Amino acid sequence: MTPEPPSFATAAWFWLKLGLISFGGPTGQIAIMHTELVEKRRWISEGRFLHALNFCMLMPGPEAQQLATYIGWALHGTWGGVVAGALFILPSAVLLWALSWLSMVGGNVPWIAAIFYGLQPAVMAIVAAAILRIGSKALKNPLMWSVAALAFIAIFFLKLPFIAIIVGAGILGLIGSRVRPSVFLTLPVHDSEQETGSALPPADKFRILRVGASCLALWWLPVLLLALSFGPGNILVQQGIFFSKAALVTFGGAYAVLPYVAQQAVDHFGWLNTQQMMTGLALAETTPGPLIIVLQFVGFVGAWQDHGTLPPLIAGTLGAAITTWTTFLPSFLFILAGAPYIDRLRKVRALTAALSTITAAVVGIVLNLAVWFGLHVLFPEGGRTDVFALVVSVIFFLGLWKGRWKILAVIAAGALLGLTTQ
């Protein structure tokens, strides 16, 4: 017997609680949703849950947040999806805003600076462990290893744009799906129908136009208002445009887009420095919700430091807001417009092959992030080796990879060890 669907209020309360406890990255967040929604509450069937997950993995953006949006839509339509996706993000956004403010006002306080210093080797270890974790899933054959190696060479030595590498990998996957499908299809493809519980709502041919137009208007209206208020060259407008572009290429999770954001924000725009970027990643790791929320920290710090005529806190808050808005709103567009077509897209082998190849390229791109961080942390200005950072990062990496230490425990230990250097 199929349980009665939850009321809108009951579902909303669940999404808020999920947003408060969704630590552990996308894997942990998806596991929580599966346990609570499929096994315990039975709000959605196993088959439909897996179909939705496959669809979300084909889209750019945080798959766990997109999965919550899809399930919210499946339960209560468009507003159900909006509420589910928004509440999944809200707690982490509020908490990271407070932590961002603390990092800026407390940066010159010796004990706070020591904590941030201790977080740097922790972040190095976390990124290195992420490379192995992603690589073990993506690099299934010698060709995928080659794709990862070429991606690293392209971005680290040749300085090719991140977007060009992602697009190139996707095109290679599309071609490879026809030439050597057995090699390029390293992610699962579903060909047969599976039981999905209740029937999916019918695909309305005008729905994608209505939802697309509404989301695009909401997406760009704040950017336009900022341009009218402060001028098109203002940092807030720059952030709105930049993070809108970044949101469209976040295949493979937060670690895939971080090298692009870090190098553009630090080296090109000068919104923050490498140490601040690593601090933001560490703080984002301590909050619930999607790791891509780290981009909010970038927006806050950049606008705080280039606040113009605004008070720093107001400028930083606006920077955090426009960054979060333009980072996550595209995810709502993809899910709310594309959800009715989930069963069609999940069977397209060419898309799956493209995603497989992009995921392999992401391994090389994340390796570039690790090397970039490592050079700045282990060899700070002056060229000397930071022995403390070297030893601590090696210990943390071994603990994460071999000892299965929790990321929050590593972050806390790094902060405590930093205090000992004061």
Side-chain angles (χ1 to χ4, degrees):
M1 181 178 177
T2 304
E4 288 293 321
S7 67
F8 192 94
T10 299
W13 177 240
F14 169 81
W15 296 121
L16 178 59
K17 289 191 294 183
L18 179 65
L20 292 168
I21 65 169
S22 56
F23 294 94
T27 302
Q29 293 156 2
I30 291 168
I32 292 173
M33 280 189 276
H34 184 271
T35 300
E36 292 291 329
L37 299 177
V38 177
E39 297 177 359
K40 292 184 179 180
R41 303 170 190 263
R42 296 171 60 198
W43 287 356
I44 189 170
S45 70
E46 177 81 21
R48 193 169 178 186
F49 183 91
L50 293 176
H51 293 177
L53 179 58
N54 291 333
F55 173 75
C56 294
M57 292 183 69
L58 286 172
M59 298 293 105
E63 60 264 32
Q65 185 258 344
Q66 291 176 334
L67 180 60
T69 303
Y70 171 84
I71 297 174
W73 168 82
L75 293 173
H76 296 106
T78 299
W79 280 110
V82 170
V83 168
L87 292 180
F88 187 85
I89 303 166
L90 186 61
S92 60
V94 173
L95 180 57
L96 188 59
W97 173 84
L99 293 173
S100 301
W101 171 79
L102 179 63
S103 74
M104 297 309 295
V105 298
N108 295 323
V109 178
W111 67 270
I112 294 181
I115 288 176
F116 290 150
Y117 172 65
L119 292 177
Q120 293 180 22
V123 170
M124 277 186 56
I126 290 168
V127 174
I131 294 172
L132 294 180
R133 185 173 65 251
I134 298 170
S136 65
K137 297 178 180 179
L139 308 182
K140 300 294 187 181
N141 55 55
L143 178 63
M144 293 302 168
W145 278 94
S146 300
V147 170
L150 288 173
F152 174 75
I153 293 170
I155 196 169
F156 187 79
F157 292 105
L158 303 181
K159 308 300 181 184
L160 293 183
F162 166 83
I163 295 176
I165 297 171
I166 292 295
V167 171
I171 293 173
L172 178 63
L174 291 174
I175 297 172
S177 67
R178 293 182 174 275
V179 179
R180 294 287 301 276
S182 61
V183 176
F184 282 87
L185 287 168
T186 60
L187 297 179
V189 180
H190 295 269
D191 289 316
S192 60
E193 292 296 327
Q194 299 181 33
E195 180 274 325
T196 60
S198 58
L200 289 170
D204 178 355
K205 61 181 179 181
F206 296 110
R207 173 187 172 81
I208 193 169
L209 296 177
R210 294 196 305 271
V211 173
S214 300
C215 287
L216 286 172
L218 290 171
W219 182 351
W220 289 104
L221 181 59
V223 180
L224 177 61
L225 291 176
L226 288 171
L228 292 174
S229 300
F230 302 107
N234 186 268
I235 185 174
L236 297 172
V237 180
Q238 292 179 346
Q239 289 176 339
I241 295 172
F242 172 73
F243 288 108
S244 293
K245 293 189 294 184
L248 299 177
V249 292
T250 53
F251 295 97
Y255 283 112
V257 78
L258 276 176
Y260 171 56
V261 170
Q263 290 175 328
Q264 289 291 307
V266 174
D267 297 333
H268 179 68
F269 292 106
W271 291 337
L272 71 176
N273 59 40
T274 307
Q275 287 69 35
Q276 289 172 327
M277 185 71 210
M278 298 186 73
T279 296
L281 182 54
L283 295 178
E285 291 278 12
T286 66
T287 64
L291 180 58
I292 199 69
I293 198 70
V294 65
L295 303 188
Q296 176 185 302
F297 178 87
V298 177
F300 183 97
V301 173
W304 176 289
Q305 297 183 148
D306 185 13
H307 57 85
T309 59
L310 295 173
L313 180 58
I314 299 299
T317 301
L318 288 174
I322 193 62
T323 299
T324 303
W325 185 263
T326 53
T327 295
F328 287 101
L329 197 139
S331 291
F332 288 96
L333 169 60
F334 300 144
I335 297 303
L336 297 178
Y341 304 91
I342 178 173
D343 276 338
R344 302 177 190 179
L345 290 179
R346 71 185 178 85
K347 299 176 189 175
V348 180
R349 286 178 171 270
L351 287 178
T352 303
L355 181 62
S356 299
T357 313
I358 288 172
T359 305
V362 162
V363 178
I365 292 170
V366 178
L367 177 59
N368 163 72
L369 177 68
V371 173
W372 189 71
F373 275 164
L375 291 175
H376 284 84
V377 173
L378 299 179
F379 307 102
E381 295 181 9
R384 62 178 180 82
T385 302
D386 190 325
V387 178
F388 169 83
L390 176 62
V391 172
V392 171
S393 61
V394 169
I395 293 173
F396 283 164
F397 170 74
L398 293 175
L400 286 165
W401 185 243
K402 296 296 185 180
R404 306 298 180 186
W405 292 358
K406 300 294 185 182
I407 287 179
L408 287 177
V410 169
I411 294 290
L416 291 174
L417 287 173
L419 285 173
T420 66
T421 66
Q422 184 179 347

